[in-house]
Amino acid sequence: MNTSAAHSPGPARSTPQSGPAPRILTAVPTCDGHDSAIMTVNLELVRRGVEVIYLGYHRSVADVVRAAIQEDVQGVGLSSYNGGHIEFFDEVLRRLRRFGARHIGVFGGGGGTITAADARLMKRRGVDEIFLAGAPLSGMGEWVRRTYTRQPTLAAQRLHRPGPPSDLHLARLLSTVSCGHHAPAPPAHASASLVIGITGPGGAGKTTLLDELVLRFLNSRPHGRLAILTHDPCAPGHGALLGDRATMVCAQDDRVFMRSLATTGRARGVSQATRGCLRILRHAGFDVVFVESAGVGQEDLPFARGLVDKQILVMSPEYGGRLQLQKTALLEVADFVVVNKADLAGARTALAELEQRLALNQRGQRLLATVAKRHCDQGVDQLFREVLS
Ligand code: B12
Ligand SMILES: Nc1nc2c(ncn2[C@@H]2O[C@H](COP(=O)(O)OP(=O)(O)O)[C@@H](O)[C@H]2O)c(=O)[nH]1
Ligand SMILES: [Mg+2]
């Protein structure tokens, strides 16, 4: 994590009020696999219009705090069933303060494993609320909406600072842009990062593949830093469950800055804020910026001209036959076409059909086969070499 502003005091906690729906990070602590309760809570919060970034289970304090800062959330909701909750919540609060993020609140639950006496102690130490066994879900959703409000956006003069921004500062900048405010012009000296777009239908393995590419990047460039911008759809009329972080294991690293965006009802896999966010990330000192679209359909071209430098289309072998390939717009523009899930039956046929289809374009597009769910896959190795060469 870039901590150059680590010890500067964060903005003060806002007073409870109604307003735009908050962004909340949720997670389950280290050595705890009880994720069913937090999934229930996640869905209730989304139903209440909250943007929930779900980090997954078995997550360390460092992972939780890094994600909370990068995502510029207003609160962190922890679900803890395996004991050690007093220490874990304490440590999250301490680390948030250490990195200048005391404005981010902490709350949670853990059924009967957190006693009323524990809850009182945790609240005295700075936890905002603990929901005990039997607490009604609707009350929680209401409480979150009432307690956490979006922070005011950064004042224009604070946007211009020398040097690469800290995670905290960069995160606030992205929020400023996401709220529709003007994106500051990048400093004249800042060199541009390579921006790589990853797109394809939902479930093809984009996030899994991206995580494997991140692993190779971190291993091959000991001082390299990268950024990831991911997109997930909103639930119609509700908030959004932004879940890519839960799939990303290797990307939980201090050399990775990751931000999740809701597509806010806009079709085509990206958000209105994507261009502004990329403009900032491209000039924030990263070697590479990856941007993953939400799952897209046949007509969609999520990366408009100039948005990315290279684009990877990830497909699974189950696209439905040769005729479907004639209708897939992304096959015209992708620089790399990847048949992921090459371990599944049909992968060889898919590769043969796609080879024929791409030959019609006469653009020298690369076609590769990967098994992203397997570590050390040679297809992913090859993709990494070709994309980042
Ligand atoms: C379901 C369950 C499992 C499932 C988990 C499925 C899953 N994917 O989550 C399975 C069977 C896999 C499982 C396994 C284990 N379990 Co278990 N499990 C439970 C059980 C029965 C229910 C927990 C639950 O999901 N409740 C549903 C939620 C929605 O309701 P709630 O708990 O009342 O929570 C309320 C609030 O606290 C709030 N809330 C909860 N979290 C959060 C978070 C936020 C942000 C907010 C706002 C609110 C909130 O929401 C609810 C609203 O009313 C509890 C016993 C119990 N009755 O609590 C044991 C329990 C938690 N398990 C226990 C144990 C020991 C284990 C195992 C170690 C067993 C073993 N020896 O293998 C493993 C470990 C698994 C792991 N890897 O961590 C113990 C823990 C003991 C302790 N800490 O001292 C318990 C208490 C059972 C017991 N009495 O022994 N378990
Ligand atoms: N069989 C198989 N499953 C995979 C592979 N890569 C990813 N998956 C699984 O496909 C599902 C969707 O993956 P995800 O990365 O979330 O897809 P996305 O929606 O395109 O980002 C998950 O259950 C992955 O474990 C693969 O190479 N082979
Ligand atoms: Mg994904």
Side-chain angles (χ1 to χ4, degrees):
M1 179 156 66
N2 187 347
T3 59
S4 49
H7 299 281
S8 61
R13 287 289 290 284
S14 52
T15 43
Q17 60 183 59
S18 63
R23 274 167 75 83
I24 298 292
L25 181 89
T26 61
V28 176
T30 326
C31 295
D32 197 339
H34 290 91
D35 63 350
S36 150
I38 196 66
M39 285 312 293
T40 306
V41 172
N42 283 343
L43 296 179
E44 172 62 17
L45 294 181
V46 169
R47 214 175 60 77
R48 296 263 161 183
V50 175
E51 264 180 39
V52 177
I53 297 114
Y54 178 48
L55 184 60
Y57 59 88
H58 185 39
R59 295 306 195 195
S60 69
V61 170
D63 287 354
V64 168
V65 170
R66 185 192 308 111
I69 289 175
Q70 294 181 348
E71 298 287 357
D72 194 24
V73 295
Q74 288 76 58
V76 174
L78 299 169
S79 187
S80 173
Y81 281 87
N82 277 0
H85 40 269
I86 297 178
E87 294 76 13
F88 195 90
F89 278 65
D90 258 2
E91 206 39 54
V92 168
L93 282 165
R94 196 170 306 133
R95 203 170 167 89
L96 282 170
R97 287 185 200 122
R98 187 171 146 215
F99 289 116
R102 63 174 64 243
H103 58 288
I104 299 177
V106 176
F107 65 105
T113 61
I114 304 185
T115 64
D118 289 351
R120 279 194 298 277
L121 176 63
M122 291 160 82
K123 284 172 78 170
R124 276 203 301 279
R125 293 186 177 178
V127 172
D128 290 336
E129 193 56 88
I130 291 295
F131 293 91
L132 302 173
L137 282 176
S138 58
M140 282 176 215
E142 234 174 85
W143 180 88
V144 167
R145 286 251 12 185
R146 212 174 46 239
T147 307
Y148 301 112
T149 54
R150 290 216 181 179
Q151 300 294 316
T153 52
L154 281 184
Q157 66 273 19
R158 289 194 56 209
L159 301 176
H160 299 283
R161 285 177 167 189
S166 68
D167 279 8
L168 188 65
H169 187 65
L170 185 55
R172 301 299 309 281
L173 271 178
L174 295 179
S175 299
T176 303
V177 173
S178 302
C179 292
H181 293 266
H182 173 67
H189 62 269
S191 60
S193 320
L194 178 69
V195 179
I196 296 168
I198 301 186
T199 186
K206 299 181 291 299
T207 310
T208 314
L209 181 62
L210 176 52
D211 202 42
E212 284 293 315
L213 293 174
V214 169
L215 174 65
R216 282 158 180 77
F217 175 90
L218 295 174
N219 286 342
S220 63
R221 303 194 191 181
H223 301 289
R225 293 184 63 238
L226 67 83
I228 300 170
L229 186 65
T230 62
H231 297 81
D232 262 320
C234 292
H238 297 304
L241 181 57
L242 309 177
D244 281 338
R245 276 186 180 268
T247 307
M248 300 267 197
V249 178
C250 307
Q252 313 296 329
D253 189 283
D254 282 347
R255 290 194 281 133
V256 179
F257 179 95
M258 179 165 171
R259 184 64 175 245
S260 315
L261 278 184
T263 55
T264 50
R266 200 177 126 123
R268 300 184 195 288
V270 292
S271 142
Q272 256 160 348
T274 305
R275 186 172 285 279
C277 289
L278 280 178
R279 187 155 164 255
I280 289 170
L281 289 173
R282 204 187 254 279
H283 296 279
F286 297 105
D287 300 280
V288 187
V289 177
F290 285 107
V291 47
E292 180 190 335
S293 76
V296 294
Q298 284 179 323
E299 287 180 314
D300 294 334
L301 294 171
F303 305 125
R305 193 181 289 273
L307 204 61
V308 299
D309 300 316
K310 298 180 184 181
Q311 47 181 313
I312 305 172
L313 167 60
V314 183
M315 300 174 70
S316 84
E318 294 135 347
Y319 49 77
R322 202 185 290 265
L323 192 58
Q324 300 300 326
L325 298 182
Q326 300 307 322
K327 308 184 220 166
T328 305
L330 272 161
L331 284 170
E332 303 287 337
V333 299
D335 302 292
F336 297 86
V337 176
V338 173
V339 177
N340 187 43
K341 306 195 183 184
D343 53 316
L344 298 186
R348 283 173 66 167
T349 308
L351 281 166
E353 289 181 353
L354 274 159
E355 196 171 3
Q356 282 180 1
R357 171 67 184 81
L358 293 177
L360 300 175
N361 292 347
Q362 298 189 326
R363 284 191 49 230
Q365 294 157 289
R366 294 287 294 133
L367 175 64
L368 294 112
T370 60
V371 184
K373 74 160 188 186
R374 185 165 68 196
H375 285 311
C376 308
D377 177 66
Q378 289 180 359
V380 183
D381 288 344
Q382 192 183 348
L383 179 67
F384 177 75
R385 275 195 304 274
E386 296 195 18
V387 171
L388 287 177
S389 61

